[in-house]
Amino acid sequence: MTDRTARSRRTGSGPGRLLVAVYGILALAATARGIYQVATKLDEAPVAYLLSLGAGLVYVVATVALATDRRTLAWWAVSIEMVGVLTVGVLSLVDVGDFPDETVWSAFGQGYGYVPLLLPFLGLLWLWRTGRTADVPAASDDLG
């Protein structure tokens, strides 16, 4: 594999930089929100607020893993994120009693413009795409 092919397969390069940036912004927003909620009003909605903090931490791990090309960790973090957003999204609509206040993943991330719903699909697609063997023919020195 050439150096160029190796670089193009890194998760934090090319379009992956935008993905890492979005993950980073969501990590900061969700973690800050979760810390504030747990620190100031945990007794009001403990399940929702602990899930917000947990989601924020998942985004932090996913951001670092994608930025540093830690593929196995990234696969795990983004997969957990997908399961979380789908599970909490359904439960927050069906069992409103456990979610008297919103989490990052409530209603499939409605409060965040559905970015939390879209992001794990993009993250897994990017991991899959950058993990494939490049179909680039080897460079040849002969010109004829």
Side-chain angles (χ1 to χ4, degrees):
M1 179 182 332
T2 66
D3 286 343
R4 183 174 183 202
T5 305
R7 280 195 309 270
S8 68
R9 292 183 61 213
R10 294 184 52 83
T11 56
S13 64
R17 289 181 182 172
L18 178 60
L19 186 67
V20 169
V22 173
Y23 263 101
I25 291 167
L26 203 53
L28 181 61
T31 303
R33 177 183 185 170
I35 289 171
Y36 171 77
Q37 290 171 325
V38 167
T40 61
K41 48 188 183 174
L42 181 62
D43 57 330
E44 295 176 23
V47 173
Y49 297 152
L50 289 171
L51 276 170
S52 275
L53 182 56
L57 296 176
V58 168
Y59 287 123
V60 168
V61 171
T63 301
V64 171
L66 287 166
T68 59
D69 203 34
R70 294 183 180 152
R71 303 186 61 76
T72 302
L73 182 59
W75 275 104
W76 276 102
V78 177
S79 296
I80 289 169
E81 172 197 359
M82 178 178 277
V83 169
V85 73
L86 293 174
T87 302
V88 172
V90 169
L91 290 176
S92 65
L93 297 175
V94 172
D95 188 10
V96 181
D98 278 341
F99 298 94
D101 199 359
E102 290 187 0
T103 72
V104 175
W105 292 336
S106 293
F108 304 104
Q110 181 180 21
Y112 288 81
Y114 297 102
V115 171
L117 178 62
L118 181 62
L119 204 54
F121 290 99
L122 293 175
L124 290 174
L125 177 65
W126 183 247
L127 283 165
W128 176 76
R129 184 174 184 269
T130 59
R132 295 186 352 203
T133 304
D135 295 331
V136 179
S140 176
D141 286 330
D142 61 358
L143 298 172

